[in-house]
């Protein structure tokens, strides 16, 4: 099975609208170029079933977040998601990270920062091809904001 | 002059190797017209157009009175101007001449196209001193980043299929395309070609994060 949908490309783009995902990411990615880049990696790259699953899950999370008032102010650090570059061609600069990272405060609800559990979960979320890792990061952003709305008193 | 020069095809190929197919075609359409008017342009198109389909398109446009002045960089400027680095795949001198001087602050690389007609790349780069540097395919990833973009020339599209320089097929592979924030297709010919698009590769418009122009 091909992992690249060459035709009919218009069908995929009509169903999995990049702009829907860009709108969801705006609180975390205020720059339009950054939003476009990350949204493309999430819904226009990788196998079509991943694109569709990413789109469905993020849209549902977006609906849930909207129902409780949308994302509040962003807080805390985010762990970067690195571009998948060949090791010998890495330059070691921040530009080699995707614009969207994994918010650490959300993960701290599961384990203390720096603990083996925290580190392992963070590693799993950032691993894999970009369409996996960036969808994970986006979902943690939305889930963290959702839980902040639902249970602000439990924030780490 | 009332007859086509016997070595016109070879001369066109030489010019195309250092200017790009469309830029060479514009040059040759103008010069053939100067030598022999509409009749000679039509003869050149009918004689060499199947071998050089981009020339076929350009000559047809000239005959229809549609060959405009210098290409405009307007469709690309808002996209490329938002980037820190732009790696160009393919060569079209007329379009690069219009675009590159407008990209102050953007680092520009011209990827050496191994699959294209053989050119002396040093001569090509000499035209862009201070505006662009040469990039080998092996160092492609060094140009990646969250503020990096790829740009290639699209030689016509029907909205689904696009014709591109062959090297684009390698550059836009799944391992590379997520390393660049923007994948820009600059359609310099408009609609699909009337004759078989030899010299070019076929891809889908989904290859591009933005397809702009003409």
């Amino acid at each position: 099975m091909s992992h690249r949908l060459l035709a009919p490309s218009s069908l995929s783009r009509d169903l999995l609208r990049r702009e829907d995902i860009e709108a969801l990411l705006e609180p975390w990615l205020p720059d339009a170029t950054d939003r476009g880049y990350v949204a493309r990696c999430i819904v226009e790259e990788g196998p079509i079933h991943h694109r569709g699953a990413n789109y469905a899950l993020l849209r549902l999370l977006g609906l849930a977040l909207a129902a409780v008032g949308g994302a509040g102010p962003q807080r805390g650090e985010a762990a970067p998601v690195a571009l998948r570059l060949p090791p010998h061609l890495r330059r070691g600069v921040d530009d080699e990270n995707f614009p969207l990272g994994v918010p650490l405060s959300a993960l701290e609800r599961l384990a203390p920062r720096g603990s083996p559990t925290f580190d392992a979960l963070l590693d799993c979320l950032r691993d894999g091809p970009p369409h996996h890792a960036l969808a994970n990061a986006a979902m943690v952003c939305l889930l963290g904001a959702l839980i902040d709305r639902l249970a602000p008193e439990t924030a780490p | 002059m009332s007859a086509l020069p016997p070595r016109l095809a070879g001369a066109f190929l030489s010019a195309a190797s250092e200017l790009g197919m469309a830029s060479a075609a514009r040059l040759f359409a103008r010069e053939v017209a100067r030598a022999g008017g509409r009749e000679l342009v039509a003869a050149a198109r009918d004689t060499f157009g199947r071998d050089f389909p981009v020339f076929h398109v350009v000559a047809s446009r000239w005959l229809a009175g549609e060959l405009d002045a210098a290409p405009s960089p307007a469709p690309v400027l808002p996209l490329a101007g938002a980037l820190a680095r732009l790696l160009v795949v393919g060569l079209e001198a007329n379009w690069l001449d219009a675009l590159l001087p407008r990209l102050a602050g953007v680092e520009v690389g011209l990827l050496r196209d191994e699959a294209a007609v053989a050119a002396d790349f040093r001569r090509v780069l000499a035209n862009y001193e201070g505006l662009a540097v040469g990039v080998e395919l092996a160092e492609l990833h060094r140009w990646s980043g969250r503020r990096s973009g790829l740009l290639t020339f699209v030689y016509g599209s029907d909205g689904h299929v696009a014709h591109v320089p062959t090297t684009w097929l390698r550059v836009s592979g799944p391992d590379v395309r997520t390393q660049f924030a923007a994948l820009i297709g600059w359609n310099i010919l408009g609609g699909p070609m009337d004759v078989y698009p030899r010299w070019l590769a076929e891809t889908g418009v989904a290859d591009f994060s933005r397809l702009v122009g003409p």
Side-chain angles (χ1 to χ4, degrees), chain A residues 4-6 9-10 13 18 31 33-34 37 40-41 45 83-86 88-89 91 94-95 97-99 130, chain B residues 82 85 138 141-148 160 172 174 177-183 204-209:
Chain A
R4 290 183 65 199
L5 192 67
L6 287 180
S9 57
S10 56
R13 288 192 169 182
R18 189 202 310 171
D31 181 86
T33 300
D34 288 344
Y37 181 21
R40 171 171 63 83
C41 289
E45 304 291 346
L83 301 184
R84 276 39 177 168
L85 294 173
H88 68 292
L89 294 177
R91 306 184 302 274
D94 186 54
D95 191 48
N97 295 320
F98 287 103
Chain B
R85 283 179 303 281
H141 300 273
R142 292 191 196 280
W143 281 71
S144 64
R146 61 201 281 181
R147 281 282 179 250
S148 296
H160 298 281
S172 66
R177 51 190 296 109
T178 55
Q179 296 171 2
F180 287 82
L183 308 170
V205 296
D207 262 11
F208 307 105
S209 60

Side-chain angles (χ1 to χ4, degrees), chain B residues 25-50:
Chain B
R26 290 168 59 89
L27 173 66
F28 273 59
R30 283 195 304 270
E31 292 304 315
V32 170
R34 191 171 298 166
R38 290 181 57 84
E39 188 178 336
L40 202 59
V41 173
R45 179 194 61 180
D46 296 342
T47 303
F48 302 113
R50 288 185 186 278

